[in-house]
Amino acid sequence: MLSREDNELLTRVGPGTPMGELMRRYWVPAAFSHQVAEPAGAPLRVRLLCENLVLFRDGQGRLGLIDERCPHRTASLFFGRNEAAGLRCVYHGLQFDVAGHCIDLPCVPQLSPEQRQSVARELAVKAYPCTEKGGVVWAYMGPPALQPEFPELEWTLVPESHRFATRHIQECNWLQGLEGGFDAPHLTFLHAGDAEESRKVVPSFYEVMATDFGFIVGTGRDLGGDDIHWNINVMLMPFHKIISSIPHAAHVWAPIDDENTMLYSINFHPSRPLTDDDLKREKAWEGIHAENIPGTDRAIQNKDNDYLIDRAWQASGASYTGIKGFGIQDCSIQESMGPISDRTHEHLLATDSAIVKIRRLLLQTLRDHAASRPLPGINPESFRVRSTRCEMAQGLSIADQAVDLVRADRMTAAE
Ligand code: FES
Ligand SMILES: [Fe+2]
């Protein structure tokens, strides 16, 4: 279990909260580039880290992510006219550029040029810098002086043809998603019926290590041979997971607010385009991706319809859950823990040791941030890693080698 105070510290992400401020030190995904592809096209509402924003590409192709609320009388800029120089509020015509400056005040023609300038200064809106990487618009919402370079996140570096990405809203706090992503024992149960052979064995060894990018979770299974079979998973700050599979995969748990998360799911191949076969598998929606209600970020299988659970399928034993899709199985169970899981009610078991250590590491990172100590994942090169697997003799710890192994796996991809 976790104390109420620590649960609050880890889960709350609004402005001014410790975790919210920590996340604001990193680039966070705001939308897919294709959602705002057209210059002067329709703006997009974006809710990120409890802030309501509007994303738009102005007529000159520049991206702006600004406060949704017009500073004049609080109308929504989502309804704005997207013009060459910026977004214009349709209530009284104020216009804002991508940096949030008020550049036109047509409703008060009587102002002198000096008055106009000073009023415009007062009316500037909050604006966050954006960059496009890997088909995603990323925002930096932290202190301008501390803006880091964009990290070398592998799936954002491959050509578009090598990547397949979707997103959908997970209706719970981000930490339930992240913890689920690093909860190895659940693979043997929740996903049973789909899981590969080796995962039918509950892991008996757990190691968690802090690194310069985030942390590593090693999970060892005794498959009956001389060696222990280790899965070595990387967590990249503040909410990325790379999944060791072919093609490779990744998740990003980007908080919309405290009780909703935008889960980005990605398949990618470092050195070749994804094939029709690769894509056919993913578009059957049985893997990590979810099929959405058209035109929305809400999965067709959602909590209002109990994720279309099929009790007969569950009873047959062919599926442990009766719920279709790896990703939806995860969402269903993580959402079932409540919008923000009350971890004071937990009874942790020995197999939760990795989860306990992950929480301790995140709490330590919050303390490091508060004390202005260096943070993991700020150096862009630190992300040059990939989750991997290895065999190791019984009785040996992976701690000494884990960092080398996840770096080496990424290096092989470069060839
Ligand atoms: S409320 Fe936006 S211009 Fe008046
Ligand atoms: Fe899972």
Side-chain angles (χ1 to χ4, degrees):
M1 64 169 263
L2 207 58
S3 70
R4 189 167 305 285
E5 294 71 32
D6 284 350
N7 203 29
E8 292 284 300
L9 278 175
L10 291 174
T11 54
R12 302 282 173 185
V13 294
T17 59
M19 184 56 82
E21 292 303 310
L22 175 64
M23 286 186 175
R24 283 168 173 78
R25 294 288 307 279
Y26 302 88
W27 288 94
V28 294
F32 286 122
S33 290
H34 66 72
Q35 295 179 282
V36 282
E38 283 297 305
L44 190 72
R45 285 192 188 96
V46 171
R47 185 161 160 79
L48 204 50
L49 301 177
C50 304
E51 297 185 40
N52 289 333
L53 307 165
V54 176
L55 177 65
F56 66 102
R57 194 184 299 272
D58 73 11
Q60 299 166 55
R62 300 174 301 186
L63 281 171
L65 181 65
I66 64 175
D67 198 344
E68 180 184 353
R69 220 173 10 189
C70 175
H72 174 221
R73 296 230 327 263
T74 75
S76 170
L77 291 168
F78 167 75
F79 296 102
R81 295 171 57 86
N82 191 1
E83 301 177 355
L87 196 58
R88 191 183 289 283
C89 180
V90 289
Y91 204 179
H92 314 94
L94 267 62
Q95 189 179 26
F96 303 91
D97 69 10
V98 294
H101 300 130
C102 178
I103 51 171
D104 197 16
L105 269 169
C107 55
V108 274
Q110 64 275 28
L111 291 182
S112 70
E114 295 75 41
Q115 286 172 318
R116 186 170 294 277
Q117 259 187 8
S118 94
V119 175
R121 250 197 310 279
E122 250 172 64
L123 289 173
V125 287
K126 177 171 71 183
Y128 295 121
C130 296
T131 186
E132 285 177 275
K133 304 279 181 194
V136 170
V137 177
W138 302 80
Y140 175 71
M141 300 167 70
L146 297 174
Q147 180 178 321
E149 274 180 62
F150 194 80
E152 294 183 25
L153 184 60
E154 187 172 20
W155 63 262
T156 66
L157 295 170
V158 302
E160 205 183 326
S161 56
H162 296 33
R163 180 176 62 231
F164 175 63
T166 61
R167 69 174 200 175
H168 78 274
I169 296 170
Q170 188 169 344
E171 296 176 61
C172 66
N173 182 258
W174 77 283
L175 188 60
Q176 272 142 265
L178 184 95
E179 288 183 347
F182 290 91
D183 176 302
H186 88 279
L187 292 167
T188 317
F189 303 97
L190 185 74
H191 302 306
D194 303 315
E196 60 186 84
E197 278 309 303
S198 69
R199 290 185 169 161
K200 293 192 174 151
V201 177
V202 186
S204 357
F205 306 98
Y206 300 91
E207 296 197 30
V208 179
M209 286 143 279
T211 68
D212 64 345
F213 51 80
F215 54 78
I216 288 176
V217 179
T219 315
R221 288 178 169 82
D222 185 347
L223 303 183
D226 293 341
D227 291 339
I228 298 298
H229 180 96
W230 286 90
N231 277 347
I232 304 176
N233 284 304
V234 295
M235 182 278 195
L236 309 170
M237 283 296 288
F239 38 47
H240 300 271
K241 182 189 178 191
I242 310 297
I243 300 166
S244 126
S245 58
I246 303 288
H248 297 292
H251 277 312
V252 185
W253 289 277
I256 296 170
D257 52 35
D258 293 342
E259 302 188 351
N260 295 280
T261 304
M262 191 64 83
L263 171 60
Y264 290 77
S265 302
I266 304 101
N267 288 105
F268 68 101
H269 202 289
S271 53
R272 67 158 171 82
L274 298 181
T275 62
D276 286 348
D277 263 7
D278 292 334
L279 293 173
K280 204 161 80 200
R281 237 191 342 260
E282 299 312 329
K283 289 181 183 169
W285 314 114
E286 288 170 0
I288 60 169
H289 301 274
E291 185 177 13
N292 285 344
I293 299 167
T296 76
D297 290 308
R298 190 153 203 243
I300 290 173
Q301 293 169 262
N302 60 54
K303 69 176 182 188
D304 292 343
N305 56 29
D306 290 326
Y307 313 90
L308 302 176
I309 186 170
D310 179 341
R311 293 291 187 183
W313 190 29
Q314 185 179 33
S316 77
S319 164
Y320 204 72
T321 55
I323 294 171
K324 185 181 130 181
F326 239 70
I328 293 291
Q329 289 162 7
D330 284 324
C331 283
S332 66
I333 218 63
Q334 290 159 13
E335 291 176 5
S336 81
M337 299 158 89
I340 303 178
S341 166
D342 184 348
R343 294 176 175 78
T344 64
H345 289 164
E346 292 175 334
H347 296 86
L348 297 178
L349 303 172
T351 45
D352 295 308
S353 64
I355 299 292
V356 171
K357 285 183 191 152
I358 287 170
R359 293 173 185 173
R360 276 197 208 126
L361 282 182
L362 289 171
L363 288 166
Q364 181 58 45
T365 310
L366 288 179
R367 285 192 291 273
D368 289 342
H369 182 225
S372 300
R373 287 192 284 265
L375 294 176
I378 296 293
N379 173 3
E381 290 180 15
S382 66
F383 272 37
R384 271 189 213 164
V385 291
R386 198 193 279 152
S387 296
T388 189
R389 300 170 187 205
C390 74
E391 314 272 325
M392 195 100 61
Q394 299 259 9
L396 288 185
S397 156
I398 58 158
D400 296 341
Q401 297 165 61
V403 169
D404 289 342
L405 287 168
V406 296
R407 290 221 172 95
D409 200 300
R410 175 76 176 265
M411 295 309 288
T412 45
E415 287 156 14

